[in-house]
Amino acid sequence: MRAFREAVEALDLDAAEALLAPDVVFTSPIVFKPYTGKPITAAILRAVSGVFEDFRCVREINDVNGRDHALVFTARVGERELSGCDFIHVDENGLIDELTVMVRPLSAAQALAAAMGAQFERIAEEAQARSV
């Protein structure tokens, strides 16, 4: 999904948020239960943009029907380099209704979990404010 890739690479998080469906389901690489809704997903995207350093998309994969996409990326969390993939599904309106993120290696996922965990309260507060 070119528009999401360009928004994330440019750190234009308002543009990325505009591409999310109201009922988007975000599946984190570090939390068992998915998050549902645009406010919490947008807050998570904003937080991770501050945690990832040297973020770079290295490949974009799209299905022929245009509803499923994958963005392969690299980034760094502290001293840990990671590679990951955003699996994206869009609804009939072209909005992201499913966003699943996977990262590797385990040590980088653990560093990501610690960095994002430190921001959990702020993420929850931002999501609550956006829900109103």
Side-chain angles (χ1 to χ4, degrees):
M1 151 152 253
R2 174 78 43 191
F4 185 74
R5 175 183 180 166
E6 290 173 356
V8 171
E9 287 180 323
L11 293 176
D12 185 348
L13 301 174
D14 290 334
E17 181 177 355
L19 296 168
L20 300 176
D23 59 348
V24 61
V25 175
F26 175 79
T27 304
S28 165
I30 53 176
V31 178
F32 176 74
K33 183 179 176 186
Y35 296 96
T36 301
K38 187 174 185 173
I40 188 66
T41 301
I44 291 168
L45 289 176
R46 288 181 193 288
V48 81
S49 73
V51 168
F52 278 171
E53 299 174 56
D54 303 326
F55 177 86
R56 188 170 61 92
C57 282
V58 295
R59 189 172 345 155
E60 183 175 341
I61 305 165
N62 300 295
D63 82 348
V64 293
N65 297 320
R67 304 272 308 260
D68 291 293
H69 311 274
L71 298 177
V72 180
F73 62 88
T74 61
R76 194 169 39 81
V77 177
E79 298 298 316
R80 299 290 181 196
E81 292 189 21
L82 64 85
S83 57
C85 189
D86 291 339
F87 295 99
I88 299 168
H89 183 270
V90 296
D91 64 16
E92 61 279 351
N93 298 314
L95 296 176
I96 299 169
D97 61 359
E98 294 177 25
L99 176 57
T100 300
V101 181
M102 295 189 182
V103 297
R104 63 156 309 280
L106 177 60
S107 60
Q110 291 168 329
L112 178 60
M116 292 297 289
Q119 297 188 44
F120 182 77
E121 189 173 315
R122 187 188 64 71
I123 292 168
E125 288 172 1
E126 181 181 332
Q128 181 63 33
R130 290 177 174 277
S131 296
V132 178

